[in-house]
Amino acid sequence: MVVTLAKPLYHGKKVTFEEYQKLKYDGFQYEIIEGVMKVTPAPFDKHQAIIGEVYVLIHNFLKQTLKGIIRLNPRDVKFDDNLIYQPDILYIAKERLNINKRNYVDGAPDFIIEVLSKGTLTFDAGKKFNDYEKYGVKEYWIINPDNLIMSEFYYLVDKKYESFDSENNTVKSKVLEGFEVDLIELEKSLNPFAE
């Protein structure tokens, strides 16, 4: 028996945001860059584990502080009609919850986290970095799954990203005041069965 893998129906298709919203699901995830639909590859295990752990940390923090909401990929973020991304993790402050629509986020979230994948390094640190800065995402973390200590953290100051470092391997959010992640503990939590 020969198994034929489905091919993405819409990869490379030029669409408006309105057209995109009406398309039937074909089993693939897409982002829209300069009005053209691009398939996003399925993430690997460590990528998913990091997203899950960081999501839980932020979710628990938000349950206590009621500062806003957190969402996971796949969640469309419409920056404009020709630019729609699906960040790994996004946060919207409660004062701005009006941008969180039923099917998408209409505008820049306050905080975005992307976990690098083999094929996304230059894209996440290049095009997405520039777009998130341009559209006003206040804080952007680029997490390196191969070495969490080498992750990059940015905060928007006068419409430009400035990098900030972790202190003693702990990164403290600028947008979510009081939220911090111990990168060494995060690494340990990814494999609880390691000796």
Side-chain angles (χ1 to χ4, degrees):
M1 180 168 113
V2 176
V3 176
T4 305
L5 296 176
K7 292 184 179 178
L9 296 175
Y10 309 117
H11 183 73
K13 181 179 176 73
K14 191 158 181 68
V15 295
T16 64
F17 178 72
E18 196 172 303
E19 292 167 335
Y20 170 70
Q21 289 285 293
K22 294 177 184 175
L23 293 175
K24 292 182 181 174
Y25 180 65
D26 69 350
F28 292 89
Q29 284 183 226
Y30 295 89
E31 292 182 320
I32 298 177
I33 301 144
E34 297 172 358
V36 178
M37 295 182 68
K38 306 282 185 185
V39 172
T40 57
F44 58 95
D45 183 66
K46 190 170 184 182
H47 179 277
Q48 290 299 84
I50 292 169
I51 291 170
E53 290 293 329
V54 173
Y55 173 86
V56 168
L57 292 171
I58 297 173
H59 176 75
N60 290 341
F61 177 80
L62 292 174
K63 280 175 65 174
Q64 298 298 315
T65 63
L66 304 174
K67 291 183 178 217
I69 61 170
I70 184 172
R71 295 293 183 259
L72 288 169
N73 181 328
R75 181 82 174 130
D76 290 332
V77 176
K78 176 187 170 194
F79 290 95
D80 68 35
D81 283 336
N82 294 306
L83 187 65
I84 299 156
Y85 287 131
Q86 293 183 345
D88 290 327
I89 298 174
L90 65 91
Y91 160 77
I92 302 168
K94 71 178 175 184
E95 300 80 26
R96 300 185 61 242
L97 289 178
N98 62 310
I99 70 170
N100 189 45
K101 308 298 182 191
R102 182 174 180 265
N103 294 327
Y104 64 100
V105 175
D106 191 13
D110 295 282
F111 180 15
I112 286 178
I113 299 172
E114 297 282 9
V115 178
L116 295 176
S117 295
K118 299 283 184 228
T120 68
L121 171 62
T122 55
F123 189 65
D124 287 343
K127 175 118 177 79
K128 278 189 176 181
F129 176 95
N130 292 330
D131 287 336
Y132 291 167
E133 180 181 66
K134 174 184 174 183
Y135 287 94
V137 175
K138 294 175 189 169
E139 188 167 347
Y140 180 34
W141 291 8
I142 303 172
I143 297 181
N144 181 339
D146 296 326
N147 186 346
L148 296 179
I149 302 302
M150 297 300 294
S151 298
E152 299 176 16
F153 312 99
Y154 298 94
Y155 183 67
L156 201 61
V157 177
D158 296 326
K159 299 183 181 182
K160 288 286 182 198
Y161 277 139
E162 290 185 5
S163 66
F164 64 96
D165 295 322
S166 61
E167 299 170 24
N168 299 319
N169 298 318
T170 298
V171 61
K172 296 178 181 179
S173 174
K174 306 286 188 188
V175 168
L176 268 174
E177 192 174 323
F179 176 73
E180 59 186 47
V181 176
D182 180 322
L183 299 171
I184 302 298
E185 290 303 312
L186 176 60
E187 182 70 44
K188 288 178 187 174
S189 72
L190 299 176
N191 188 358
F193 306 108
E195 294 180 18

